[in-house]
């Protein structure tokens, strides 16, 4: 057990989940068995709910793999030496080459207080705006779209709108997996009000489609055409709020003119959708006042992301459906503090408190308020340009905080090369090894989620406290403090002498009110001058919170926006031209997320129950493409782009469109041999927002000719020399999927070196090249290796559950080597419910026994009754089993088989 649980810290702490932008309230409780987390019923975002990632938080707070001491090179050093090295490198570069020769690359996973001081240091004291954030890869197009339309980066609505809408249109959002608690709130509202409709606009049929009445599987990046068509349709049908448009907006004529007279046939051609499904969608929007359009990365991460945002907003302006219950455009944020980062000015074109670098008045306000020696006078480098500027020799010192650009930036090999080349690189992280940290000259150990104190803002502008419940481990320090120490060492001690996050928050709150008086949306001056105790006890609160006046609520109900004339702007947008694909790279590469992993897996990768859901990198391919390319169900595939190649498992599914392939971006050099999908992604950006197009790249796909496949379970990670390996965490060890195109000459030798035993229990069928090895010590299984010329047929969930177990009998050992669970222990199949470890086969059996609803499956197996994140998958399984059973009655003989036992990603999800 973690030594820190013996500390004198409180037993029960209210805090906020450190994953997605839903911003769920969490209660951490210390029990005899260690820390437990659960949803906070008093928090308005989640009202007690959590998803699978939130539910597994306690499994991620151990100290294994943590960075605990500052390091220079590979040597542990004192904090003083580390701070001195960073401050020295930055000061020297500034003296010699000027302020624009240094940069920070930060993250929506910093707390507001961390973020605020980083931005203050760069823009007010160093005097450059070269601070950008991974939100550039995430929210920049929404920010730019909001600013074009509203004059400010304002999310008008509240989560209550999800429940109050009659029509919810989800665009480029896999809400079921990426904002699971919002998905649950939406599902519950729909169950309560069956008349409510949900439309999903996504090229893939994701788990979110489970609640959709209509799924529009449009062509990649054809959203502008779809929403321009909608704008025309609304205008034609007279669904226009003339009073609102006349009094509160500008530019409607130009927007309508640009949208043209796109009739259904044109939209159908541009989007690849059928005219009748488009007509149905348009009809529903036209008839439904309470229409809410929720959108996410399928919109933002595009070369036309900002135009997509404005195409959506245009339809809400035309109908006056904004700022009122159940209606409006709603950009959901990704990271826990993506919104807070926008507020503090983390983007290189913003100043703190939603002020603009380009606005001289705002620059004056910031400089005066900070009593700063200087103020950045022009926008700094945006993420993609920043790493390019390193190649050009412009950046001499870079500090990366709470992000892993070597894996998450497009053109990742080139970004990694920049990290290698930059004359000075400091990295603040909580873990000891990432693909970014590997290149750092100075490594700074940051406090992790359970140890940090501060605030975050979620998608509905709700500010919540994150509170520490564990002491700082080793010599780790909170990010705000590391930044302030460096600032002090650079000579600005007075401006950065904060005693704690409450003092930073106070300064920030005061700044938001300076010369504001309603001219800027972001005002939290009502939270200034909180005592330390009041700050500690601060409950969740929605901004705006001006010192006097109305608090929280929706924006724009009064029709007053933040442009000069207070009118909202229609933006005339035109669909992008269809780009011709090079015949060598005929597939559209789409990238994104899976349910139970978070980004580059530095935290979720440690939780065995999360790893079990999708345990290796994969590519979703349509069956017709798989057939043409000769790719079988558990084959490996090479995906190639001009800049790189990955090797991942094929997941053949008709949820994918022909001609497209989807690969998640979670796998890194720590977890797979060649799984970094961003090494393939071109650094193409949206011209307005600078956000990279991460969802539409040209690639080639082909089958990998494996000579052998393997599956291993080991007590501890090891390094491997084979073309394909993918590692996942187990409760008491690790699992590996393996393969190579080179023959394995000596399987027994390979097994001994891998299992680190000379003596193995083994079985080999040399003719068929099947072999199995088990390392058994004192009757307990300490490791195993399965080898085969085909994808290894053994139940992963069953085999991994046996690691560390003692074998009661020789039969049991023999059954294990045969790769089959005994009759007494039916194979659960791939994990669907992470909370109760319920597999797809368990669920299938329950359905065949007559449990044909999600509720009934839950009653008998528990699956889906805790966090509920798997309910969409259970529903999908029920449909597939009942469909197959119906098929059987019609004479088809195929049994429902949800675990082919040949790979670590199930077809079912
Ligand atoms: N489990 C999990 N949850 C997370 C995260 C995580 O890593 N794991 N990360 C968090 C973060 S930072 C973010 S930003 C959010 C992201 O949340 P989402 O945006 O919901 O997630 P993505 O999987 O990136 O992409 C969403 C969908 O966009 C679709 N798409 C691709 N191209 C297009 C297109 O041209 N048009 C349309 N309409 N759709 C398209 C994809 O098929 C995909 O299903 O998730 C947050 N939540
Ligand atoms: N192809 C493709 N690429 C993508 C995306 C995509 O959809 N497709 N999505 C993009 C999006 S939306 C996002 S948000 C990014 C996310 O990409 P990243 O930000 O690179 O992903 P993370 O793995 O969350 O990296 C966070 C790092 O910070 C560390 N960390 C965690 N907490 C703290 C802390 O409190 N302090 C410090 N100092 N460090 C901490 C973690 O250990 C980890 O190393 O990826 C982007 N890249
Ligand atoms: S939905 Fe899940 S990941 Fe997102 S904040 Fe809530 S518990 Fe955390
Ligand atoms: Mo994100």
């Amino acid at each position: 057990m973690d030594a820190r649980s013996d500390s004198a810290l409180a037993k029960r702490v209210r805090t906020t989940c450190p994953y997605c932008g839903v911003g769920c309230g969490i209660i951490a409780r210390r029990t005899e068995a260690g820390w437990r987390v659960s949803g906070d019923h008093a928090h308005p975002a989640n009202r007690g709910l959590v998803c699978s990632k939130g539910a597994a938080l306690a499994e991620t707070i151990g100290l294994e793999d943590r960075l605990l001491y500052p390091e220079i090179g590979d040597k542990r050093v004192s904090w003083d030496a580390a701070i001195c090295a960073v401050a020295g490198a930055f000061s020297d570069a500034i003296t010699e080459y000027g302020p624009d020769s240094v940069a920070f690359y930060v993250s929506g996973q910093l707390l507001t207080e961390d973020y605020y001081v980083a931005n203050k240091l760069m823009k007010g004291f160093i005097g450059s705006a070269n601070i950008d954030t991974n939100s550039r890869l995430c929210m920049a197009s929404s920010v730019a779209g909001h600013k074009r339309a509203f004059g400010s980066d304002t999310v008008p609505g509240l989560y209550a709108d999800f429940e109050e809408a009659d029509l919810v249109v989800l665009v480029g959002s896999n809400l079921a997996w990426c904002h699971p608690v919002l998905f649950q709130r939406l599902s519950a509202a729909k169950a309560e009000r069956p008349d409510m409709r949900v439309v999903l606009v996504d090229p893939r049929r994701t788990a979110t489609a489970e609640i959709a009445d209509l799924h529009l599987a449009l062509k990649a990046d054809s959203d502008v055409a779809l929403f321009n068509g909608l704008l025309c349709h609304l205008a034609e049908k007279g669904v226009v709020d003339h009073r609102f448009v006349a009094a509160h907006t500008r530019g409607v004529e130009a927007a309508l003119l640009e949208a043209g007279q796109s009739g259904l046939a044109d939209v159908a051609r541009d989007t690849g959708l059928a005219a009748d499904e488009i007509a149905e969608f348009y009809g529903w929007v036209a008839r439904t006042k309470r229409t809410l359009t929720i959108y996410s990365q399928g919109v933002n991460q595009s070369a036309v992301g900002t135009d997509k945002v404005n195409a959506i907003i245009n339809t809400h302006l035309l109908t006056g459906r904004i700022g009122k219950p159940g209606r409006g455009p709603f950009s959901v944020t990704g990271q826990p503090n993506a919104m807070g980062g926008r507020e503090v000015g983390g983007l290189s074109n913003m100043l703190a408190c939603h002020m603009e670098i380009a606005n001289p008045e705002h620059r004056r306000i910031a400089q005066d308020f900070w009593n700063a020696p200087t103020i950045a006078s022009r926008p700094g480098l945006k993420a993609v340009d920043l790493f390019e500027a390193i190649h050009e020799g412009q950046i001499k010192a870079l500090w990366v905080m709470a992000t892993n650009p070597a894996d998450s930036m497009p053109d990742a090999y080139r970004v990694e090369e920049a990290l290698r080349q930059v004359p000075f690189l400091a990295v603040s992280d909580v873990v000891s090894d990432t693909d970014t940290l590997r290149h750092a000259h100075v490594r700074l150990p940051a406090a992790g989620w359970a140890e940090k104190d501060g605030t975050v803002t979620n998608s509905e502008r709700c500010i919540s406290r994150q509170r520490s419940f564990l002491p700082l481990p080793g010599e780790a320090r909170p990010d705000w403090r590391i930044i302030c120490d460096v600032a002090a060492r650079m000579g600005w001690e007075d401006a950065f002498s904060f005693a704690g996050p409450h003092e930073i928050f106070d300064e920030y709150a005061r700044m938001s009110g300076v010369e504001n008086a309603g001219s800027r949306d972001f005002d939290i001056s009502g939270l200034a001058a909180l005592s330390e105790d009041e700050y500690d006890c601060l409950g969740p609160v929605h901004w705006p919170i001006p010192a006097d006046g109305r608090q929280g609520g929706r924006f724009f109900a009064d029709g007053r926006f933040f442009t000069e004339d207070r009118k909202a702007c229609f933006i005339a947008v035109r669909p992008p031209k269809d780009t011709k694909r090079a015949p060598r790279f005929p597939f559209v590469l789409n990238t994104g997320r899976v349910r139970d992993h978070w980004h580059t897996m530095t935290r979720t990768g440690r939780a065995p129950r999360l790893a079990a859901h999708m345990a290796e990198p994969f590519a979703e391919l349509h069956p017709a493409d798989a057939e043409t390319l000769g790719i079988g169900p558990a084959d490996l595939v090479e995906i190639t782009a001009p800049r790189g190649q990955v090797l991942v498992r094929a997941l053949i599914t008709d949820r994918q469109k022909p001609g497209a392939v989807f690969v998640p971006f979670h796998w890194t050099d720590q977890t797979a041999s060649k799984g970094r999908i961003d090494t393939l992604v071109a650094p193409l950006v949206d011209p307005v927002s600078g956000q990279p197009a991460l969802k539409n790249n040209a690639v080639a796909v082909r089958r990998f000719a494996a000579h052998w496949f393997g599956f291993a379970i080991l007590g501890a990670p090891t390094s491997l020399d084979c073309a394909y390996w993918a590692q996942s965490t187990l409760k008491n060890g690790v699992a590996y999927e393996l393969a190579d195109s080179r023959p394995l000459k000596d399987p027994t030798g390979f097994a001994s070196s891998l299992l680190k035993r000379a003596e193995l229990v083994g079985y080999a069928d040399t003719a068929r090249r099947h072999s199995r090895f088990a390392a058994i010590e004192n009757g307990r299984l300490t490791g195993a290796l399965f080898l085969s010329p085909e994808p290894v047929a053994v139940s992963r969930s069953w085999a991994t559950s046996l690691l560390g177990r003692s074998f009661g009998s020789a039969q049991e050992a023999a059954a294990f080597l045969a790769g089959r669970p005994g009759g007494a222990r039916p194979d659960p199949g791939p994990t669907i419910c992470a909370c109760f470890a319920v597999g797809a086969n368990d669920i299938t059996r329950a359905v065949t026994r007559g449990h044909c609803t999600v509720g009934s499956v839950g009653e008998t197996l528990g699956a889906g009754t805790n966090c509920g994140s798997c309910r969409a998958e259970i529903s999908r399984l029920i449909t597939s089993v009942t469909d197959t059973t119906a098929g059987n009655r019609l004479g088809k003989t195929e049994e429902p088989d949800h675990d082919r036992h040949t790979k670590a990603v199930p077809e079912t999800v």
Side-chain angles (χ1 to χ4, degrees):
M1 201 174 65
D2 196 329
R4 294 175 302 173
S5 48
D6 290 327
S7 83
L9 285 180
K11 281 203 169 132
R12 188 171 180 279
V13 175
R14 280 206 142 88
T15 181
T16 313
C17 176
Y19 295 123
C20 82
V22 179
C24 296
I26 295 280
I27 294 182
R29 274 174 301 122
R30 195 167 55 169
T31 67
E32 292 287 306
W35 285 91
R36 291 264 175 278
V37 296
S38 55
D40 181 353
H41 288 270
H43 198 287
N46 57 318
R47 304 168 189 155
L49 299 170
V50 282
C51 74
S52 47
K53 292 181 298 303
L57 270 169
E59 287 172 36
T60 65
I61 57 179
L63 294 186
E64 323 78 55
D65 311 323
R66 281 290 297 269
L67 181 65
L68 294 174
Y69 304 96
E71 291 171 358
I72 298 183
D74 284 333
K75 288 210 183 63
R76 178 176 163 183
V77 297
S78 67
W79 265 112
D80 199 49
I83 297 290
C84 198
V86 180
F90 272 74
S91 296
D92 289 352
I94 295 164
T95 311
E96 196 164 339
Y97 302 100
D100 286 335
S101 68
V102 300
F104 297 162
Y105 182 58
V106 303
S107 160
Q109 290 167 78
L110 290 173
L111 303 181
T112 295
E113 292 74 3
D114 305 326
Y115 231 139
Y116 173 82
V117 289
N119 186 55
K120 175 178 177 183
L121 172 57
M122 184 54 84
K123 292 185 180 141
F125 290 77
I126 291 175
S128 167
N130 283 345
I131 171 171
D132 209 36
T133 146
N134 62 0
S135 284
R136 182 70 61 192
L137 318 180
C138 181
M139 304 313 308
S141 297
S142 277
V143 174
H146 288 155
K147 283 168 55 177
R148 287 204 304 196
F150 310 143
S152 59
D153 174 22
T154 316
V155 173
L158 301 171
Y159 291 162
D161 295 324
F162 283 54
E163 283 135 355
E164 293 182 41
D166 292 326
L167 173 63
V168 172
V169 185
L170 290 155
V171 193
S173 155
N174 187 2
L175 205 73
W177 281 11
C178 296
H179 297 90
V181 163
L182 288 180
F183 181 76
Q184 287 188 48
R185 283 181 63 168
L186 184 61
S187 308
K190 191 162 190 281
E192 212 165 277
R193 288 195 296 121
D195 288 347
M196 179 182 193
R197 285 206 176 101
V198 175
V199 177
L200 175 66
V201 183
D202 190 315
R204 298 188 304 144
R205 201 170 75 241
T206 60
T208 305
E210 279 308 302
I211 58 161
D213 300 282
L214 181 65
H215 171 212
L216 299 177
L218 80 181
K219 272 202 296 212
D221 279 342
S222 62
D223 309 70
V224 173
L226 183 69
F227 282 88
N228 267 358
L230 176 60
L231 192 74
C232 293
H233 178 87
L234 295 169
E236 235 168 62
K237 299 285 167 203
V239 190
V240 178
D241 184 338
H242 292 287
R243 198 201 54 81
F244 179 85
V245 171
H248 302 299
T249 72
R250 253 184 294 128
V252 66
E253 298 82 8
L256 281 169
L257 197 67
E258 191 66 85
Q261 305 281 302
S262 10
L264 285 187
D266 305 297
V267 181
R269 183 200 55 226
D270 291 348
T271 57
L273 298 168
D276 57 351
E277 51 185 356
I278 302 170
E280 182 150 44
F281 168 51
Y282 288 0
W284 288 357
V285 177
R287 287 193 296 274
T288 317
K289 262 208 176 105
R290 289 184 176 228
T291 294
L292 183 73
T293 314
I294 298 169
Y295 60 92
S296 186
Q297 300 312 340
V299 169
N300 294 339
Q301 289 172 340
S302 159
V304 290
T306 311
D307 283 355
K308 290 189 190 188
V309 170
N310 288 110
I312 291 171
I313 294 176
N314 284 347
T315 63
H316 284 275
L317 292 179
L318 189 76
T319 48
R321 293 172 185 164
I322 191 164
K324 302 178 192 108
R327 56 207 108 162
F330 205 126
S331 143
V332 278
T333 52
Q335 299 174 94
N337 202 27
M339 190 70 109
R342 284 147 68 173
E343 294 158 8
V344 302
L347 292 163
S348 62
N349 45 324
M350 299 290 295
L351 273 176
C353 302
H354 280 194
M355 290 190 285
E356 305 268 351
I357 290 188
N359 181 326
E361 274 303 290
H362 289 175
R363 290 204 301 273
R364 178 190 56 75
I365 293 173
Q367 184 170 7
D368 286 355
F369 179 79
W370 282 336
N371 197 14
T374 171
I375 193 82
S377 55
R378 59 193 159 95
L381 293 163
K382 300 188 174 98
V384 170
D385 300 334
L386 167 60
F387 288 94
E388 206 43 47
I390 295 176
H391 284 284
E392 283 156 19
Q394 186 192 324
I395 301 296
K396 309 294 180 188
L398 173 69
W399 187 356
V400 174
M401 305 175 203
T403 177
N404 189 3
D407 294 312
S408 57
M409 282 285 296
D411 209 359
Y413 284 142
R414 189 160 169 82
V415 167
E416 197 171 10
E417 189 50 40
L419 293 169
R420 209 175 283 129
Q421 273 185 19
V422 67
F424 178 82
L425 176 66
V427 177
S428 306
D429 206 297
V430 296
V431 298
S432 58
D433 192 13
T434 68
D435 293 338
T436 298
L437 265 172
R438 287 177 176 189
H439 305 290
H441 301 109
V442 180
R443 285 183 260 272
L444 302 161
W449 166 67
E451 304 134 14
K452 293 183 70 146
D453 256 297
T455 55
V456 290
T457 313
N458 74 4
S459 299
E460 60 162 354
R461 295 177 273 103
C462 179
I463 300 174
S464 298
R465 284 279 279 111
Q466 230 183 59
R467 297 184 179 87
S468 66
F469 55 92
L470 293 175
L472 292 168
E475 290 182 4
R477 288 183 179 173
D479 288 288
W480 69 265
R481 177 154 175 220
I482 306 174
I483 299 159
C484 290
D485 287 349
V486 168
R489 190 63 64 94
M490 289 176 80
W492 298 301
E493 197 163 2
D494 285 351
F496 291 88
S497 63
F498 299 103
H502 65 285
E503 288 193 2
I504 303 175
F505 186 81
D506 173 57
E507 179 176 306
Y508 176 49
R510 280 188 289 118
M511 185 175 189
S512 71
V514 177
E515 298 183 36
N516 189 336
S519 63
R520 305 190 300 269
D521 63 341
F522 183 74
D523 187 343
I524 58 164
S525 53
L527 295 176
L530 297 182
S531 69
E532 191 174 352
D533 272 355
E534 285 167 329
Y535 174 77
D536 278 345
C537 299
L538 183 69
V541 47
H542 290 83
W543 65 260
I545 311 155
D548 48 5
R550 188 184 68 95
Q551 298 194 352
R554 293 178 185 83
F555 273 95
F556 310 142
D558 57 359
R560 284 168 66 74
F561 296 84
F562 291 95
T563 50
E564 281 206 348
D565 60 4
R566 290 290 190 152
K567 287 184 174 180
C569 301
F570 282 88
I571 304 294
V573 289
R574 181 182 298 180
K577 286 213 175 63
D578 234 357
T579 42
K580 281 235 163 9
R581 289 189 179 266
R584 283 177 56 218
F585 301 105
F587 279 83
V588 174
L589 170 69
N590 177 5
T591 63
R593 296 157 167 79
V594 303
R595 191 189 79 190
D596 287 356
H597 277 307
W598 177 261
H599 300 168
T600 68
M601 265 197 243
T602 60
R603 289 171 293 158
T604 46
R606 302 152 147 240
R609 64 165 139 159
L610 297 182
H613 186 239
M614 291 293 209
E616 62 181 331
F618 64 89
E620 279 185 3
L621 270 175
H622 190 269
D625 289 329
E627 197 178 337
T628 315
L629 298 168
I631 295 166
D635 270 336
L636 291 169
V637 289
E638 281 172 341
I639 302 183
T640 313
R643 36 183 49 76
Q645 189 182 62
V646 296
L647 181 56
V648 299
R649 190 73 67 178
L651 190 64
I652 301 169
T653 166
D654 64 3
R655 295 189 298 275
Q656 178 61 278
K657 277 170 99 68
V661 55
F662 174 84
V663 182
F665 79 107
H666 303 298
W667 278 268
T668 65
D669 284 352
Q670 268 80 44
T671 43
S673 54
K674 242 170 138 184
R676 289 165 61 189
I677 196 63
D678 271 312
T679 58
L680 270 62
V681 175
L684 184 72
V685 300
D686 176 288
V688 187
S689 67
Q691 177 154 357
L694 302 170
K695 302 238 182 296
N696 184 357
N697 273 259
V699 294
V701 181
R702 73 159 189 243
R703 179 173 176 270
F704 174 75
H707 190 266
W708 60 271
F709 291 85
F711 170 62
I713 45 181
L714 306 177
T718 187
S719 58
L720 283 153
D721 174 28
C722 58
Y724 180 72
W725 61 262
Q727 177 193 309
S728 65
T729 306
L730 306 174
K731 243 191 214 129
N732 43 3
V734 281
Y736 285 100
E737 296 293 333
L738 308 167
D740 210 325
S741 53
R742 298 166 296 180
L744 187 60
K745 292 208 182 76
D746 174 16
T748 313
F750 180 64
S752 323
S753 69
L754 197 64
L755 303 175
K756 308 224 167 17
R757 292 277 168 281
E759 298 273 327
L760 297 170
V761 186
Y763 151 90
D765 175 343
T766 18
R768 291 172 52 223
R769 291 182 23 233
H770 279 271
S771 43
R772 285 154 191 179
F773 304 88
I776 296 176
E777 272 176 74
N778 303 327
R780 276 177 201 283
L781 183 78
T782 58
L785 173 67
F786 300 79
L787 296 168
S788 161
E790 301 101 37
V792 172
V794 63
S795 161
R796 287 358 184 219
S797 45
W798 167 76
T800 54
S801 73
L802 296 186
L803 186 64
R805 292 259 195 96
S806 41
F807 281 120
S809 66
Q811 275 127 307
E812 248 187 302
F816 180 77
L817 285 176
R820 218 165 285 120
R825 302 176 52 143
D827 171 21
T831 303
I832 299 294
C833 170
C835 296
F836 295 118
V838 180
N841 293 352
D842 295 330
I843 296 167
T844 305
R845 280 188 286 268
V847 180
T848 47
R849 287 200 313 270
H851 298 282
C852 293
T853 62
V854 176
S856 164
V857 167
E859 270 166 35
T860 170
L861 298 173
T865 58
N866 184 40
C867 78
S869 299
C870 60
R871 292 169 72 88
E873 286 149 75
I874 297 175
S875 156
R876 186 180 263 171
L877 261 174
I878 294 171
T879 314
S880 83
V881 177
T882 42
D883 281 359
T884 319
T885 321
N888 283 344
R889 260 185 265 122
L890 295 173
K892 292 189 192 154
T893 50
E894 206 183 313
E895 281 288 303
D897 175 9
H898 295 295
D899 187 2
R900 289 168 207 268
H901 306 329
T902 45
K903 55 188 187 298
V905 279
E907 250 102 29
T908 42
V909 292

